[in-house]
Amino acid sequence: MNFLKFIAMIFLIGISSLLAQELTRDSMLSILDEENPSISIEKLLGYIKVDDDTNNYAKLEIVDKIISKTETLGLDNLHTDALYHKGILLYRLNRYHEAKNLFLIAKSFYGRQRDKYGLRKVYEELGYCFERLGFQDSALVFFEKDLDISTSLQIDSTLSIAYTNLGHANWRTGRFTEALNNFEKAYQIRKSLNKPAKMASSLNSIGSVYWKRGNYGKALEYFLESTRLREELKDSMGLTISLNNIGTVFQRMSYFDKAEQYFNDALNKSINTAYNFGTAYSYYNLGLLNLESGNYQDALDYFFQSLEISEIVSDLNLIAMTNVYIGESYEKLEDYETARFYYLKSRDQAKNYDDGFSIAKANSNLARVLYKLNKSFNEIMLPLKRSYEISLEENLREIKKENYYLFYQLYNRENRIQEAFDYYKKYTEVKENILNENLVNNITNMIVKFELAKTETENELLKAEKALQASELENQKSIRNFIIIITILALILIVALSVLIKNKNKTAQQIAQQKGEVDKLNQELGKRNKDLKSSNETKDKLFSIISHDLRNPAGVLVNYCDYLNSELDQLDPRMLKNISSSIKKSSESILELVNNLLDWSRSQMGKIVVNPERVSIAAIFEHVKTIYENYANLKKLSLKIELKSDIHVLADLHMIDSVLRNLVSNALKFTPSGGTIRLTAEIDNRMCKISVIDNGIGMSEELQKSLLNSEYNTSNKGTDNEKGTGLGLLLSKEFIKLNGGKIELESKESEGSKFWFTLPLN
């Protein structure tokens, strides 16, 4: 019986709600018949403007009546506003084509009425529509028009929205520099207006650009600040996005447990707030995490959950990318036909959305799986060429690298060796460029990891301090209780007082001891941080030198060895001779670099011992001339010693010999055929000034400053394309400094250079 009453009550509530809604709609429509239609229509448009999804269909009926009424009465401005508001309602109902058409009509009317405010808002809505329909370039055009008008109107709130929309459009089309510039301008405006919710959104957008560029330290900095603001504002939806983005940073830095924690936190928040896009995005990120971790079946489960919700919210970009990674999961499980199906599906969806990255990614993956299925040359080339074209247009280097390798594999399979070799060279070049760029980001990210570890250590110390404070508070509470007891129980005053003093002294000793331990820990941490900083500086120097000079010749050796290993039987003697010559040059370059690098690193670690002795400048000049005379003759250069009388200095013979060889070697490299290199020495202010002078190509003032002031030297090619290691001058500066002298240079472009250094006389 009670159950039946409950059902009846629910039924009556539903009927009452429907009647109330009908009454509201009818009462709204009756306003149109009032004596002053302009005022009543403005009221109705204000009601329609409110974003209330439950009444959108009722509002459509009302706005249609307004459009008809304003047209009949000739109220042109209100008629245009009504068309605009109907477009807003259709957009809310995901009817983007219809909304776009109405906005285009409204744009025409606003243009005739010279209404800049109306044009600005309709350009903004047209940008949103084209974005949803997948026409990213058209969206970009309308957002730029919105920005132009917003700039002329000088309304900061709308200007910040215009910069943000333009930033997102640039981000989606791979124009990351422009996107960053627009997001930063939007943030500065919002900061000046003190709009914390909007500031958090801008910070999140800026972080996404750094994330896309691989600078995870900067990305994390902006994501964390965005999260802090959103937590203060209790913005659950915004927090969902920020938490997901922080998770992606930790995933890229291989903190998989932390990444999973943030993704799950984001998922729970989005489910609790019924935020469908946040839920789909969280499932998508959990799928990517499991795909990278090798849990392919779990990845598929997450991707399918993301796909189901993405289709409900009509997020075309997320749908296309989810299908790409579903395909990759099946490819990892060696189910190539299913992978092929999802790559085709993703490609077709991305075409509708005009998403260059997704189209290029889907086509590249499709070509790879077709190769694994041993399909024909032409069938594989069709998607591969399309992916390659887009990767060139939008500078998608990772996809371009994958394309070059697929070209190499395909031509190699067809036994077209020369074309395969050409694409393999391109593949290695792009791969090396990406590795060199990533090395800088990896060093930055290593520093971020160190900072995270340091923060955790500091948190432990803070916990210890808090425990100490809690102990102090507890002791104070005990003292207070004792005083109360003493006051109430006067009869036991002497006994209680003695106990109190005893406990207090003991507590003070414990507190002092604990404080001493904490101070000791702080001192130890400071010492370790100082040592680690010094170690990091030396490590950074080594990484910079190795990434700049050792990686390239070593990479060439490995690549040529790989190529010889796989293609030896097909190579003719001429190509073998060319390859062996390249291997010899790379080996010599590596040997020279390693010798210099060992000497330099020993000097950095303080392991080089200076052995000063009486050194004859004439003898060392003759020794160096003997070493380089044949090379000078080959380049048709004159190597001269200009010394009036012998001079003796007090220096380490091995170091000075190394310095002079480096300077003469550089002079020979950068002096064209027919030139002259002169070795001179003279006494200047109780020091011996030794000079290496050439009439070669010289150098600009900017390069001179860089060579003298930079901590790391650069390397350039010589007149015959000789490759330097970049360590020569760096090592020379270290050695001369250890011997109590200094090194300087003078140079003019096209006239030559003069390097000179000083040493103490014997």
Side-chain angles (χ1 to χ4, degrees):
M1 190 66 182
N2 289 335
F3 177 72
L4 290 174
K5 285 182 179 179
F6 175 74
I7 294 295
M9 183 178 69
I10 294 297
F11 178 74
L12 288 171
I13 290 171
I15 291 295
S16 300
S17 177
L18 288 171
L19 288 172
Q21 185 174 334
E22 186 67 28
L23 182 63
T24 302
R25 186 178 71 249
D26 290 342
S27 62
M28 287 289 176
L29 289 171
S30 68
I31 294 175
L32 289 172
D33 298 324
E34 293 180 359
E35 290 183 4
N36 194 333
S38 295
I39 295 174
S40 61
I41 288 169
E42 286 176 358
K43 288 179 182 177
L44 286 175
L45 289 177
Y47 160 71
I48 289 165
K49 190 176 181 180
V50 177
D51 189 0
D52 180 7
D53 291 340
T54 58
N55 292 323
N56 281 334
Y57 286 103
K59 288 177 179 178
L60 267 179
E61 184 180 349
I62 294 168
V63 82
D64 280 333
K65 295 283 187 182
I66 294 172
I67 290 170
S68 176
K69 187 85 170 179
T70 51
E71 187 174 20
T72 302
L73 296 174
L75 302 172
D76 292 342
N77 290 349
L78 288 174
H79 181 69
T80 308
D81 286 341
L83 290 170
Y84 168 80
H85 282 87
K86 184 176 181 181
I88 295 288
L89 291 172
L90 291 169
Y91 183 90
R92 290 177 192 165
L93 294 167
N94 300 332
R95 291 157 64 176
Y96 304 123
H97 278 290
E98 297 171 74
K100 177 203 69 175
N101 292 334
L102 272 174
F103 287 136
L104 287 170
I105 295 169
K107 176 180 78 72
S108 176
F109 287 155
Y110 281 132
R112 286 183 216 160
Q113 295 160 10
R114 300 184 183 279
D115 184 350
K116 280 190 173 184
Y117 295 93
L119 275 173
R120 189 213 66 75
K121 64 185 183 182
V122 86
Y123 281 144
E124 181 183 338
E125 297 300 333
L126 279 166
Y128 294 145
C129 285
F130 280 110
E131 192 174 71
R132 285 289 185 178
L133 292 168
F135 300 104
Q136 297 303 316
D137 289 335
S138 298
L140 193 63
V141 169
F142 282 109
F143 285 140
E144 285 173 344
K145 288 178 181 290
D146 175 18
L147 178 61
D148 289 341
I149 294 181
S150 296
T151 303
S152 68
L153 293 174
Q154 294 185 331
I155 302 174
D156 286 342
S157 58
T158 58
L159 189 58
S160 69
I161 295 171
Y163 277 125
T164 299
N165 289 334
L166 195 56
H168 285 304
N170 281 313
W171 192 92
R172 288 188 182 95
T173 51
R175 301 175 176 94
F176 299 120
T177 300
E178 294 89 338
L180 183 61
N181 184 42
N182 287 315
F183 288 145
E184 287 178 338
K185 286 179 179 177
Y187 173 72
Q188 291 303 326
I189 293 171
R190 289 167 171 178
K191 187 177 180 182
S192 68
L193 295 173
N194 192 24
K195 300 287 185 182
K198 299 294 185 183
M199 287 164 59
S201 177
S202 292
L203 289 167
N204 191 71
S205 298
I206 293 169
S208 69
V209 176
Y210 283 112
W211 177 85
K212 200 73 174 178
R213 286 177 163 178
N215 191 337
Y216 304 127
K218 291 289 285 184
L220 188 60
E221 177 186 333
Y222 283 101
F223 288 151
L224 287 171
E225 181 61 17
S226 172
T227 302
R228 184 188 66 78
L229 287 174
R230 283 170 166 169
E231 283 176 342
E232 289 178 0
L233 296 166
K234 296 181 180 178
D235 176 9
S236 298
M237 290 185 179
L239 266 176
T240 297
I241 302 302
S242 293
L243 291 171
N244 266 300
N245 290 341
I246 292 171
T248 60
V249 171
F250 281 121
Q251 181 180 342
R252 290 296 179 89
M253 294 173 69
S254 300
Y255 285 120
F256 296 131
D257 290 340
K258 279 187 176 290
E260 186 175 22
Q261 176 188 331
Y262 276 96
F263 292 149
N264 280 319
D265 285 349
L267 179 62
N268 292 332
K269 282 189 181 295
S270 59
I271 291 173
N272 291 336
T273 55
Y275 181 30
N276 283 338
F277 173 78
T279 306
Y281 187 42
S282 301
Y283 279 132
Y284 171 79
N285 284 323
L286 284 164
L288 289 177
L289 181 64
N290 279 275
L291 178 61
E292 186 176 352
S293 303
N295 304 319
Y296 306 127
Q297 196 57 56
D298 290 340
L300 281 171
D301 292 341
Y302 283 121
F303 285 138
F304 280 122
Q305 289 181 85
S306 174
L307 190 61
E308 182 180 353
I309 301 170
S310 298
E311 288 172 346
I312 293 172
V313 298
S314 301
D315 193 295
L316 303 180
N317 179 261
L318 191 55
I319 291 169
M321 288 308 299
T322 303
N323 277 315
V324 165
Y325 289 114
I326 289 173
E328 282 198 12
S329 300
Y330 279 115
E331 186 179 349
K332 293 290 186 182
L333 293 167
E334 298 184 0
D335 186 351
Y336 299 135
E337 285 294 349
T338 307
R340 176 188 185 183
F341 168 79
Y342 279 100
Y343 290 148
L344 285 167
K345 189 176 180 181
S346 173
R347 183 187 67 181
D348 294 340
Q349 289 165 337
K351 283 180 181 176
N352 293 331
Y353 190 60
D354 193 28
D355 180 356
F357 177 83
S358 298
I359 296 170
K361 179 75 173 171
N363 273 311
S364 178
N365 288 8
L366 178 61
R368 185 178 65 237
V369 84
L370 289 173
Y371 178 84
K372 290 178 179 178
L373 288 167
N374 202 28
K375 297 297 181 180
S376 69
F377 179 85
N378 290 334
E379 188 176 355
I380 299 169
M381 284 297 283
L382 193 62
L384 183 54
K385 280 187 175 179
R386 182 59 187 138
S387 175
Y388 178 60
E389 288 166 0
I390 297 172
S391 70
L392 287 179
E393 289 170 7
E394 301 194 11
N395 195 27
L396 306 173
R397 294 186 303 164
E398 285 287 351
I399 296 177
K400 193 195 304 181
K401 181 189 75 173
E402 293 171 11
N403 290 337
Y404 281 141
Y405 192 72
L406 276 169
F407 278 124
Y408 157 70
Q409 286 183 307
L410 191 56
Y411 281 115
N412 192 48
R413 189 186 75 176
E414 299 295 314
N415 206 29
R416 292 160 66 170
I417 304 302
Q418 186 58 53
E419 289 162 295
F421 179 64
D422 291 341
Y423 277 111
Y424 193 82
K425 282 169 62 180
K426 290 178 180 179
Y427 162 73
T428 55
E429 287 171 7
V430 174
K431 182 180 176 184
E432 287 298 322
N433 288 336
I434 293 172
L435 283 172
N436 285 336
E437 183 174 308
N438 287 346
L439 182 63
V440 177
N441 286 330
N442 287 341
I443 292 170
T444 303
N445 295 332
M446 285 173 65
I447 295 169
V448 173
K449 286 185 177 183
F450 165 71
E451 290 296 332
L452 288 171
K454 178 182 173 184
T455 302
E456 289 180 359
T457 304
E458 289 173 347
N459 288 339
E460 290 300 320
L461 285 171
L462 285 172
K463 285 180 183 177
E465 288 178 358
K466 285 182 180 179
L468 183 60
Q469 290 172 359
S471 175
E472 289 176 337
L473 289 172
E474 189 64 31
N475 288 321
Q476 290 172 6
K477 185 178 178 182
S478 298
I479 293 169
R480 183 194 65 197
N481 290 338
F482 276 126
I483 293 172
I484 293 171
I485 293 170
I486 291 167
T487 304
I488 297 171
L489 305 174
L491 295 175
I492 56 172
L493 177 62
I494 297 174
V495 176
L497 188 60
S498 63
V499 171
L500 175 63
I501 293 170
K502 183 178 179 181
N503 286 342
K504 188 175 180 181
N505 289 339
K506 184 178 180 181
T507 301
Q509 289 175 0
Q510 290 175 344
I511 291 170
Q513 184 179 357
Q514 290 175 354
K515 282 184 175 178
E517 290 173 356
V518 171
D519 290 338
K520 187 177 179 181
L521 281 172
N522 279 327
Q523 290 174 2
E524 183 66 18
L525 181 61
K527 183 177 180 297
R528 290 187 181 182
N529 283 343
K530 185 177 180 181
D531 293 342
L532 185 57
K533 182 179 179 183
S534 175
S535 174
N536 276 340
E537 288 174 354
T538 302
K539 172 205 67 181
D540 288 346
K541 288 182 182 179
L542 287 169
F543 277 3
S544 176
I545 295 164
I546 292 169
S547 68
H548 185 264
D549 294 304
L550 187 57
R551 180 182 293 278
N552 289 335
V556 169
L557 275 178
V558 172
N559 292 333
Y560 275 124
C561 290
D562 285 345
Y563 188 76
L564 284 172
N565 189 43
S566 60
E567 309 296 340
L568 184 61
D569 296 334
Q570 285 80 23
L571 296 175
D572 58 42
R574 181 178 56 81
M575 189 172 286
L576 275 172
K577 186 175 180 181
N578 290 338
I579 291 173
S580 66
S581 175
S582 297
I583 289 174
K584 181 176 182 294
K585 288 179 181 177
S586 296
S587 300
E588 290 171 347
S589 177
I590 290 171
L591 182 61
E592 181 186 1
L593 174 61
V594 169
N595 286 334
N596 282 338
L597 187 58
L598 285 171
D599 284 341
W600 178 80
S601 61
R602 286 171 62 211
S603 75
Q604 293 296 297
M605 293 184 288
K607 291 187 178 180
I608 281 190
V609 178
V610 181
N611 295 312
E613 58 181 294
R614 189 170 188 265
V615 177
S616 164
I617 297 300
I620 203 167
F621 274 6
E622 287 295 337
H623 174 66
V624 172
K625 182 179 180 181
T626 303
I627 293 172
Y628 289 105
E629 201 161 33
N630 287 335
Y631 180 58
N633 291 335
L634 285 173
K635 283 194 71 173
K636 297 181 180 177
L637 298 172
S638 175
L639 183 57
K640 295 181 178 179
I641 297 174
E642 297 179 358
L643 190 64
K644 293 179 180 178
S645 61
D646 196 8
I647 302 172
H648 291 85
V649 296
L650 186 65
D652 187 303
L653 176 61
H654 170 72
M655 291 186 182
I656 304 311
D657 179 68
S658 175
V659 171
L660 201 56
R661 281 189 286 108
N662 270 313
L663 295 180
V664 172
S665 174
N666 282 340
L668 290 167
K669 286 175 187 174
F670 297 103
T671 303
S673 179
T676 301
I677 293 92
R678 296 183 293 124
L679 308 182
T680 70
E682 59 184 351
I683 296 174
D684 183 10
N685 196 22
R686 298 186 180 180
M687 299 285 282
C688 177
K689 180 179 177 182
I690 301 165
S691 304
V692 178
I693 307 165
D694 64 66
N695 58 356
I697 60 176
M699 63 188 80
S700 64
E701 289 185 9
E702 183 179 354
L703 181 55
Q704 292 180 59
K705 290 177 182 177
S706 173
L707 287 173
L708 288 173
N709 299 325
S710 177
E711 206 171 59
Y712 309 127
N713 286 313
T714 57
S715 62
N716 297 311
K717 290 186 177 180
T719 56
D720 286 350
N721 289 319
E722 304 99 330
K723 184 68 173 67
T725 66
L727 270 175
L729 189 54
L730 180 65
L731 190 60
S732 298
K733 284 157 63 177
E734 293 284 345
F735 282 177
I736 293 301
K737 183 179 177 182
L738 288 171
N739 280 272
K742 66 176 182 177
I743 189 166
E744 298 286 351
L745 75 92
E746 300 170 7
S747 182
K748 286 187 178 180
E749 287 184 287
S750 305
E751 293 184 17
S753 301
K754 175 182 178 181
F755 282 85
W756 56 269
F757 59 92
T758 59
L759 291 171
L761 293 169
N762 182 43

